[in-house]
Amino acid sequence: MTINKAPDYSREEKIAGLIDQISAYIEQYHHGSVTLVGIEGNEVSVQLGGACAGCPLSKATLQGWVAGTLHQFFPDLQVIAVD
């Protein structure tokens, strides 16, 4: 009998995967995107694109959807937007 073990993803891989899922939602419903730029310690840098670039609600998207979702799984992260 084979025992299936869940993959042992790194913290960075988990964060990247979560950002990809958030971006897919934003793309489908709002025609925007969020891209992981980098992770350094507890600081995650992302870039908003598509319809989110220049949108007056982009700060709410960053804090509400991106940072809010990441904080549910990684409460110690600081999320910053870069251009």
Side-chain angles (χ1 to χ4, degrees), residues 7-74:
D8 188 23
Y9 294 110
S10 70
R11 180 175 184 255
E12 288 78 14
E13 290 172 321
K14 291 175 185 177
I15 292 168
L18 193 51
I19 290 173
D20 285 344
Q21 290 178 5
I22 296 165
S23 186
Y25 176 85
I26 292 171
E27 286 178 41
Q28 182 173 359
Y29 294 102
H30 301 277
H31 307 291
S33 65
V34 60
T35 304
L36 175 63
V37 175
I39 303 170
E40 192 168 321
N42 287 334
E43 186 174 279
V44 176
S45 301
V46 297
Q47 183 176 37
L48 297 175
C52 292
C55 174
L57 296 176
S58 62
K59 288 185 181 187
T61 298
L62 178 69
Q63 293 304 314
W65 278 340
V66 181
T69 302
L70 286 171
H71 287 153
Q72 290 179 31
F73 299 94
F74 304 95

